[in-house]
Amino acid sequence: MDVPGRLSARRDSSARKDSSARKDSSARKISSDRRDSSDRRDSSTRKDSAFPADDSQPQPTPVEITVLTAQDLKSLKTDVLVTVVHVEYNGVILGASSNTAVLPNGTTSYNFTTSFECSPEGPNSLHDIVQKPVLLTVLEVLQKEKKQKEKKEMEKTVPLGQAVVDLLPLLQGQCSFKVSAPLYAVLTSPSESLHPEAKGCLEVTVCTREPLLSAVQLSESNLLSVTLEAAYCVPEAFAPAGSLQNYMACLQVPAAEEEFPLLFKDGILKLAGEKEPLPRPKKWSLDNVMAPGAQSIPSSFIVGGPYEDEDGELNKREDREFRMQAESTKRIVWDTERRCYLDPPAAVILQKRIGECQYLPMEVCRMSLPLPSKGKTSKADKGDEDKISFHGVAYVNMGPLLCPGVKQIRGAFRVFAYQDSEVLKKSKSQHSVFQDLQKKFSLTKEGLWSSGISTPLSKAVPSKKEDKEKDSNKMTSNSSHVHLSDATGEAENTTSLDGQYAEAGTFLVMEIKLDKALVPKRSREELSSRIKEMIPSRPPLPPLTTGAKKAVEDYHNCVTKLAVAILGEYRELFGKQLPDWGAIDPQTLEEQKHQLNCQLTISGKKFAFKEQLQYAVVKIVREKYLKTTAFKTQEQLQEFLSELYVYLVQQMHIELNQLLSKEAPFPSPPTRLTEEQLWFFAREAEVNKDYKLAAFYHHQRLAQDQHNPQSWLDYGVFCLLLEETTKAQECFRQALSLDPDHIQSLLLCGIVAVMLQHYEEAEIFFEDSCCLEPSSIPAWTLSGLFYELQDNNIQAEMAFREAKKLLQAQLTKKRSIPEAEEGEEKDISDGCGRSSSLGPAESLPGGLADELPEVVDPALTCMGLEKEAAAPEAASRAPSPGSGLSQPLCSIFMKTVEFLVEVNAVQFIHQALAHELLNLEEGPSCAYYLALAKAALLKEDFSKCEECLCEAIRTDCRNPNVWAQKGHLCYLKKDFGEAKKCYERTISFLEDAVDMHFVFLRLGSIYLEEKEHGQAKQTYLLACKDSPSCLTWLGVGIACYRMEEMVEAEDALTEANALNNTNAEVWGYLTLICLQGGREREAEQCYKHTLKLGLRNEALLREIQDAQHRLGFGNPAL
């Protein structure tokens, strides 16, 4: 055959083939795609069958996808009549439903089922299940015209909408689930909105015959999600004009022997303008999506938040303005989430890697793409397209993920020029991510570096031949224009470009989230059980069978029994001789008594009665008088017997009167000292260095109620003051055993455990306190200080950050109340200075601020809170108009120091003050020096205390607390003249100091020493008005006595004696008053009590004895 004949035959053959192709329906084309997909799977199976079968390999699990119905299709297009749905997964079309008519209400029922196989070895692995959704495309089947029907041409389809189904529930233990996937319209023209809302939905079910993960895998595996939001403050060289650019970033997850890359591509360069909206949806990393809305991940949003709550960099107060401005400037936006499935070994590797080096490098770069031009490209242009430029790296601090219970970090991370030595030093990464990716697999074949434009499904589904031609053209185009240069020389040549990141201040905002925390946080129940193991619940003590009270009761009972028995004997002897309601002659009564005594002696009953009474008396001697040893002298024995006899006779008369009296006895008056009074008196004794008296009050308080945890805690704090650490630990543990939820006891148990170097126990106590009271600033701060002692800087920083959040919330709440009240009286705009500090939530009336959504714009938040955070710090540094009491504590460390000073925990005080000193920008504040002075005074370091107080006065000379503290220092140094000046200056302020009681007490004593009795009386009366005690009333009594106001002096001393009847000085001045009043008996009794209690004031004792000698009474020895 000649050449023309052969060409003619070829044309005829080609015409027949084209005619045949036009006669095929779209279903046959879909079947062709199915066969194509099946061929690829069969080819993969044949490759695997070339090797011996391994029974240990897990079998593929089929995943069935059923599209049930579609809703509201008429909202996408009003005249739609027939539709078909395509199901696509991982780049492969799984199948298409048959043509289905749309009902008038816009619904249609597909009931189409297809499936794919999930296998750990691929092609659809668990990593694909995690990060690749099922893509559903609804296409409208256009009606054929009459000529087309005659010619039997192929049906035409037009894409109507797309939906995605997230398969993540399959890796969360579910075998089946049903979703209503939003159906987003496909853009038909560029003028349409880029983010159309969903106008319909598809009812889809996904199921597997068995779970993809076993119970063990489900409990030990994890899921890592990385969301790259945007890059801000990008270099000026980034411009939309010129050649096409692809902005990319990549993070390698150290989850296996070969790290798993998470690639973010197709960043959108946006010029300066409005900020990104909040909330905004996160997007899939998909290429073949025609409906922009289908890029959004269902129920997954970027919500933002205050900058201070972030975990990365640029989260300080001074960074707020820069962050707010950067969000409105030129930026690159991704808003893309990538996921990574971590099997149990991978989760362990990730945790180990973060423990070894907490920084992971996130590389960024810009790549030029070829222009869609038909002309030839010059060699220079090709060279530019071949290079990656602006190669930078951000060091992501993954350390917070090692804190117990932390599953998410979000923040801003600065971008630096990529330098191998610096990356190796900081992240221990020995290669560039982009260069390594190209070496491991062909990126051009997978299309990972494309601009995201793929062949739309709006065209007819191509045949195999068309697919091969397009893939071949695409591979040729990409391989000739887009590839990564792995030469180090080119990287060095771009150093000047990469350095522009640092000049521009570029930073990435990203979020890293885990499904489960790498380090599980111990539950409250577990911590409570651990504490119960350390502090076992002690059984209640058995009721005491002995004791003073019990001994007296037994004596009374014995007297009653003996009286009844003796009365019975008397009635037996003289019952017939008793006159009826008449008096017995005394002589007759005496004879009857003698006869009764003889009868009891003869019968032996008198001896028996004495034995019974003797046992009760012995118990009184042992339990009440605590006499268990022999007396040294006969005089001591006789004196004791006399005292015992008087007491026994008194008790016998009391019992006999109750027995013979027809009236009920009067109840004993209740004690006048409450628990609060006893604690205050103990505190007063501690300040006066009378530790024996303080211990007495603490013991008395515990005797009143041994089940009060606060009493045990206060006694433990007193033991800390005496440096009796072990005894203090027992007290705190006793308080905790009585109330496991006592937050102060938990903290003090942790503090004491640190002092005793029991660090494991301390960690449990601090962790439990944070779980019990998550809103406690001292709990979080002390936890941070403890972790810092353990060199656990990650958890220390997390604890400090949580405490700062709580402090900021407290300051915001405190400031919102008065400002809201002020706004009701006058317009905020007329407030001159305060209106600028109002945040958006504070400006709302009533409680509407609490109803705001949780989505927070960080810029708006910072605008409202910027001055709130700065105001208290500025107030702490500026001199106060009245005193330092009105100033809020400016930091978490000062709030914690306030608690530590109260509980005498000196070790943690210095550690917290060291942090406070580092955080102060303008030098130490008055509050800092004052706290340091109190800590020095606890250790009796007077020189250090004086130095700190001098600095505090220089910083704020109008703070009454500083002058009060200086007065205490001078008083303890016996410099009463200087102390008097300091105390008088403290009283002259408009606002009182914290410890005004002790200011009045010590100033009054100075006045008494200097014979200024009138001033002393007034000062002591001021103390009695607010906080009366034995010492304040004693001071009033002494001043009145010296001014010869005997009646007022006696009244004051009586009040003092009622509050504390064991004060020898009170009895001494009562002795003087009775001597001056000529009351001999009372003066003698007061003098006996004075001597018995051991008066240590020798001058007062000499004065009493002189008065006794002068008056001739009051002393039994005279």
Side-chain angles (χ1 to χ4, degrees):
M1 185 180 293
D2 57 358
V3 175
R6 289 197 298 269
L7 293 175
S8 177
R10 288 181 181 178
R11 284 195 296 270
D12 294 340
S13 176
S14 176
R16 286 194 299 270
K17 289 181 180 178
D18 292 342
S19 176
S20 176
R22 285 193 297 269
K23 293 178 182 179
D24 290 340
S25 64
S26 61
R28 180 174 298 177
K29 299 175 77 176
I30 295 172
S31 299
S32 175
D33 286 329
R34 287 181 181 174
R35 287 193 300 272
D36 187 18
S37 174
S38 177
D39 291 342
R40 287 197 294 267
R41 289 195 293 267
D42 292 342
S43 176
S44 176
T45 304
R46 285 193 298 270
K47 291 179 181 179
D48 295 338
S49 64
F51 299 94
D54 188 1
D55 297 336
S56 62
Q57 294 293 331
Q59 297 298 321
T61 302
V63 179
E64 293 187 356
I65 302 168
T66 302
V67 184
L68 300 175
T69 60
Q71 307 288 337
D72 298 331
L73 292 181
K74 294 288 186 179
S75 61
L76 299 176
K77 188 177 181 181
T78 56
D79 58 349
V80 61
L81 297 177
V82 181
T83 60
V84 62
V85 60
H86 287 186
V87 181
E88 179 181 349
Y89 183 73
N90 200 6
V92 176
I93 296 181
L94 303 180
S97 67
S98 58
N99 295 350
T100 307
V102 180
L103 299 178
N105 60 359
T107 64
T108 184
S109 178
Y110 296 112
N111 291 325
F112 168 68
T113 301
T114 184
S115 65
F116 67 90
E117 291 184 345
C118 173
S119 174
E121 303 299 329
N124 299 320
S125 64
L126 296 179
H127 293 288
D128 297 321
I129 296 292
V130 147
Q131 62 180 342
K132 296 180 181 179
V134 175
L135 181 62
L136 306 173
T137 305
V138 176
L139 299 100
E140 179 187 9
V141 180
L142 301 179
Q143 297 297 319
K144 295 181 181 180
E145 297 179 358
K146 185 175 181 181
K147 294 181 179 180
Q148 292 176 339
K149 291 182 180 180
E150 294 175 354
K151 296 181 180 180
K152 296 183 180 181
E153 292 183 353
M154 169 178 63
E155 293 178 336
K156 293 184 178 180
T157 58
V158 176
L160 196 62
Q162 284 186 319
V164 292
V165 177
D166 192 357
L167 299 180
L168 185 59
L170 295 179
L171 295 185
Q172 295 175 338
Q174 299 186 29
C175 291
S176 63
F177 62 93
K178 181 179 180 180
V179 295
S180 295
L183 188 62
Y184 297 91
V186 175
L187 298 182
T188 57
S189 65
S191 60
E192 292 190 24
S193 173
L194 294 178
H195 298 284
E197 296 181 356
K199 296 183 179 180
C201 68
L202 292 176
E203 296 288 339
V204 183
T205 61
V206 180
C207 64
T208 59
R209 286 177 293 185
E210 58 184 15
L212 297 182
L213 299 177
S214 64
V216 176
Q217 290 176 323
L218 184 62
S219 62
E220 297 181 358
S221 61
N222 211 330
L223 174 66
L224 176 68
S225 302
V226 180
T227 302
L228 181 58
E229 299 180 14
Y232 296 98
C233 295
V234 297
E236 292 296 331
F238 287 7
S243 60
L244 296 178
Q245 306 291 341
N246 192 352
Y247 300 97
M248 298 175 295
C250 189
L251 176 71
Q252 274 190 319
V253 180
E257 296 179 358
E258 295 183 358
E259 296 181 342
F260 188 84
L262 295 180
L263 181 65
F264 300 87
K265 55 189 177 61
D266 303 328
I268 301 174
L269 178 64
K270 294 187 178 182
L271 300 180
E274 296 182 358
K275 298 191 300 182
E276 297 298 316
L278 288 175
R280 60 184 186 272
K282 298 179 182 179
K283 300 177 182 177
W284 296 103
S285 181
L286 298 176
D287 291 333
N288 51 347
V289 176
M290 296 175 290
Q295 287 276 9
S296 303
I297 301 177
S299 303
S300 186
F301 298 93
I302 298 172
V303 297
Y307 301 134
E308 291 81 1
D309 295 349
E310 295 179 353
D311 301 283
E313 307 167 29
L314 301 173
N315 55 1
K316 303 296 188 298
R317 182 168 54 89
E318 56 270 17
D319 300 321
R320 293 175 185 168
E321 186 176 355
F322 170 70
R323 291 283 300 272
M324 293 165 59
Q325 294 176 356
E327 292 179 355
S328 302
T329 58
K330 185 165 56 175
R331 58 199 179 273
I332 301 172
V333 179
W334 284 275
D335 288 345
T336 303
E337 178 181 276
R338 297 298 304 268
R339 301 170 181 171
C340 177
Y341 168 72
L342 303 176
D343 56 15
V348 174
I349 292 174
L350 177 62
Q351 182 176 350
K352 182 180 178 182
R353 171 67 172 79
I354 298 176
E356 294 174 352
C357 181
Q358 59 187 9
Y359 292 100
L360 291 184
M362 167 72 95
E363 295 188 41
V364 294
C365 73
R366 186 184 76 172
M367 172 173 288
S368 299
L369 297 177
L371 291 173
S373 174
K374 295 182 180 180
K376 296 183 179 180
T377 305
S378 64
K379 294 183 179 180
D381 295 336
K382 288 183 179 181
D384 293 337
E385 293 169 1
D386 290 345
K387 294 181 181 179
I388 57 172
S389 59
F390 294 95
H391 190 188
V393 61
Y395 300 101
V396 182
N397 185 5
M398 305 282 285
L401 294 178
L402 295 184
C403 296
V406 176
K407 299 187 291 186
Q408 178 180 351
I409 58 175
R410 180 184 180 275
F413 302 93
R414 292 184 182 273
V415 180
F416 305 92
Y418 189 93
Q419 298 178 2
D420 293 337
S421 59
E422 188 68 21
V423 173
L424 178 62
K425 177 181 177 182
K426 198 159 188 177
S427 65
K428 297 183 180 180
S429 178
Q430 300 180 357
H431 51 78
S432 169
V433 174
F434 292 119
Q435 295 174 3
D436 190 64
L437 282 176
Q438 190 212 4
K439 295 175 184 178
K440 290 185 179 180
F441 51 83
S442 176
L443 299 179
T444 55
K445 291 183 180 180
E446 299 293 337
L448 293 176
W449 306 109
S450 65
S451 60
I453 303 174
S454 61
T455 304
L457 292 177
S458 57
K459 300 179 181 180
V461 180
S463 63
K464 291 183 181 179
K465 184 176 181 181
E466 291 173 341
D467 277 344
K468 291 180 180 179
E469 292 176 356
K470 290 184 177 181
D471 290 343
S472 177
N473 294 334
K474 189 174 183 180
M475 289 169 57
T476 304
S477 174
N478 287 341
S479 62
S480 61
H481 293 286
V482 183
H483 67 272
L484 289 176
S485 173
D486 55 354
T488 58
E490 292 181 358
E492 294 176 356
N493 293 334
T494 59
T495 303
S496 59
L497 295 178
D498 300 338
Q500 295 187 26
Y501 284 127
E503 296 177 3
T506 307
F507 62 92
L508 300 176
V509 177
M510 57 188 300
E511 177 190 71
I512 299 175
K513 184 168 60 176
L514 290 166
D515 186 53
K516 304 170 188 173
L518 293 178
V519 181
K521 185 177 181 180
R522 286 178 287 201
S523 63
R524 171 78 174 124
E525 293 75 15
E526 181 182 355
L527 292 170
S528 299
S529 63
R530 291 288 300 275
I531 292 177
K532 287 181 180 179
E533 292 176 2
M534 293 186 293
I535 309 176
S537 57
R538 300 174 181 175
L541 296 175
L544 293 176
T545 57
T546 59
K549 185 177 180 180
K550 178 65 175 176
V552 175
E553 291 179 356
D554 292 344
Y555 175 74
H556 284 191
N557 294 333
C558 185
V559 169
T560 301
K561 292 179 181 179
L562 293 179
V564 172
I566 293 173
L567 186 59
E569 293 291 335
Y570 178 81
R571 288 175 177 173
E572 289 183 2
L573 290 175
F574 310 107
K576 298 179 180 180
Q577 302 178 10
L578 292 177
D580 295 334
W581 304 101
I584 302 178
D585 182 65
Q587 185 177 359
T588 305
L589 185 60
E590 190 66 27
E591 291 178 357
Q592 290 178 353
K593 187 193 313 184
H594 180 70
Q595 293 179 15
L596 177 62
N597 188 20
C598 293
Q599 182 64 31
L600 292 176
T601 303
I602 295 172
S603 63
K605 293 182 178 180
K606 181 178 181 180
F607 178 77
F609 292 159
K610 288 174 63 177
E611 288 295 327
Q612 296 179 24
L613 191 61
Q614 180 182 354
Y615 180 73
V617 172
V618 169
K619 287 202 299 184
I620 288 180
V621 173
R622 291 179 176 176
E623 300 298 334
K624 181 173 179 59
Y625 290 93
L626 304 178
K627 300 295 183 180
T628 57
T629 59
F631 293 92
K632 296 180 180 180
T633 62
Q634 190 68 21
E635 289 77 10
Q636 292 181 355
L637 175 61
Q638 290 300 325
E639 183 181 357
F640 171 72
L641 291 177
S642 300
E643 183 180 358
L644 177 63
Y645 176 77
V646 172
Y647 179 78
L648 292 177
V649 171
Q650 289 177 352
Q651 296 299 320
M652 181 183 67
H653 290 167
I654 292 173
E655 183 62 23
L656 291 177
N657 290 333
Q658 291 179 358
L659 178 64
L660 300 176
S661 176
K662 295 181 181 180
E663 297 181 1
F666 291 100
S668 59
T671 178
R672 296 181 59 183
L673 296 181
T674 62
E675 288 189 2
E676 290 76 12
Q677 286 178 313
L678 289 174
W679 174 84
F680 180 72
F681 296 160
R683 173 64 179 160
E684 187 181 58
E686 291 174 16
V687 174
N688 292 330
K689 307 296 181 180
D690 192 352
Y691 298 132
K692 184 177 180 181
L693 181 60
F696 168 78
Y697 282 123
H698 281 297
H699 293 163
Q700 193 172 354
R701 189 181 179 198
L702 290 173
Q704 285 188 4
D705 186 6
Q706 295 186 1
H707 300 285
N708 187 354
Q710 190 63 39
S711 300
W712 286 102
L713 182 136
D714 294 334
Y715 185 43
V717 170
F718 170 67
C719 294
L720 277 184
L721 179 64
L722 301 182
E723 297 184 353
E724 298 177 357
T725 310
T726 305
K727 194 172 184 179
Q729 182 187 39
E730 290 297 324
C731 294
F732 298 144
R733 292 195 172 196
Q734 178 65 23
L736 203 57
S737 65
L738 295 173
D739 184 6
D741 296 337
H742 201 250
I743 181 66
Q744 291 183 338
S745 298
L746 277 171
L747 293 176
L748 286 169
C749 282
I751 291 173
V752 173
V754 172
M755 297 171 67
L756 296 175
Q757 298 183 0
H758 300 163
Y759 298 117
E760 293 184 2
E761 295 181 2
E763 183 177 6
I764 294 174
F765 286 124
F766 287 130
E767 189 174 349
D768 189 36
S769 63
C770 294
C771 290
L772 173 65
E773 196 71 30
S775 60
S776 173
I777 294 177
W780 286 105
T781 308
L782 286 173
S783 298
L785 295 176
F786 165 75
Y787 287 125
E788 190 176 59
L789 286 175
Q790 301 298 302
D791 294 330
N792 191 342
N793 296 326
I794 296 175
Q795 287 192 246
E797 186 63 29
M798 293 292 292
F800 290 150
R801 186 182 299 124
E802 189 66 28
K804 290 175 183 177
K805 291 180 186 178
L806 295 172
L807 178 61
Q808 187 63 52
Q810 288 183 7
L811 294 177
T812 304
K813 185 176 180 181
K814 288 180 181 179
R815 290 177 59 86
S816 63
I817 297 175
E819 291 178 356
E821 294 175 355
E822 182 182 356
E824 296 176 359
E825 298 176 0
K826 62 179 181 177
D827 189 6
I828 297 178
S829 61
D830 299 333
C832 296
R834 282 204 167 188
S835 60
S836 61
S837 64
L838 286 174
E842 293 174 88
S843 61
L844 295 177
L848 295 181
D850 297 333
E851 299 177 4
L852 288 174
E854 296 183 358
V855 178
V856 181
D857 189 340
L860 293 178
T861 305
C862 293
M863 290 173 61
L865 300 182
E866 182 172 2
K867 290 196 174 181
E868 293 178 6
E873 297 185 8
S876 66
R877 293 188 291 267
S880 62
S883 72
L885 298 179
S886 60
Q887 304 172 16
L889 295 173
C890 60
S891 71
I892 59 173
F893 302 107
M894 292 307 299
K895 271 189 166 293
T896 307
V897 165
E898 181 185 25
F899 167 74
L900 294 173
V901 170
E902 292 177 358
V903 299
N904 304 322
V906 181
Q907 177 182 351
F908 277 92
I909 291 176
H910 291 290
Q911 189 179 357
L913 289 177
H915 273 279
E916 177 68 13
L917 184 61
L918 293 175
N919 291 337
L920 294 174
E921 299 177 359
E922 300 180 5
S925 62
C926 177
Y928 167 81
Y929 284 121
L930 185 59
L932 195 59
K934 290 181 179 180
L937 201 59
L938 285 176
K939 303 294 290 185
E940 297 185 356
D941 188 354
F942 294 153
S943 60
K944 179 67 175 178
C945 180
E946 184 175 7
E947 180 183 347
C948 294
L949 289 175
C950 290
E951 292 294 332
I953 292 174
R954 184 182 59 81
T955 306
D956 184 5
C957 62
R958 290 181 287 180
N959 190 332
N961 289 313
V962 177
W963 290 104
Q965 199 66 28
K966 186 176 181 181
H968 296 331
L969 175 64
C970 296
Y971 188 88
L972 293 176
K973 293 171 62 177
K974 307 298 182 182
D975 187 359
F976 298 119
E978 187 65 25
K980 176 183 175 182
K981 294 179 182 179
C982 294
Y983 288 145
E984 288 177 342
R985 188 162 186 171
T986 303
I987 296 175
S988 65
F989 286 108
L990 295 178
E991 236 175 299
D992 291 338
V994 175
D995 53 352
M996 288 301 296
H997 176 81
F998 303 106
V999 172
F1000 290 138
L1001 203 62
R1002 288 176 170 174
L1003 181 59
S1005 67
I1006 295 174
Y1007 283 143
L1008 287 179
E1009 289 291 333
E1010 297 181 353
K1011 311 299 182 183
E1012 299 180 19
H1013 301 132
Q1015 292 286 348
K1017 177 183 176 181
Q1018 295 301 322
T1019 303
Y1020 278 120
L1021 284 176
L1022 288 175
C1024 293
K1025 179 182 179 181
D1026 295 330
S1027 50
S1029 68
C1030 174
L1031 296 183
T1032 58
W1033 285 115
L1034 173 61
V1036 175
I1038 295 174
C1040 292
Y1041 174 77
R1042 298 304 178 190
M1043 292 189 298
E1044 298 183 356
E1045 299 175 357
M1046 298 301 174
V1047 177
E1048 294 185 11
E1050 185 173 1
D1051 291 342
L1053 292 171
T1054 303
E1055 288 291 334
N1057 199 18
L1059 294 174
N1060 181 13
N1061 59 1
T1062 61
N1063 192 306
E1065 199 166 347
V1066 174
W1067 287 106
Y1069 278 100
L1070 284 174
T1071 303
L1072 289 175
I1073 292 175
C1074 293
L1075 288 172
Q1076 297 293 337
R1079 293 177 285 178
E1080 180 178 349
R1081 182 179 177 184
E1082 295 179 8
E1084 185 175 334
Q1085 290 178 349
C1086 292
Y1087 180 66
K1088 287 181 180 180
H1089 282 288
T1090 302
L1091 296 179
K1092 182 179 180 181
L1093 294 172
L1095 180 63
R1096 290 177 291 181
N1097 190 340
E1098 297 181 359
L1100 178 60
L1101 184 59
R1102 285 196 302 269
E1103 185 179 0
I1104 294 173
Q1105 292 174 352
D1106 292 344
Q1108 290 171 344
H1109 283 90
R1110 184 176 67 253
L1111 297 174
F1113 64 89
N1115 190 347
L1118 294 176

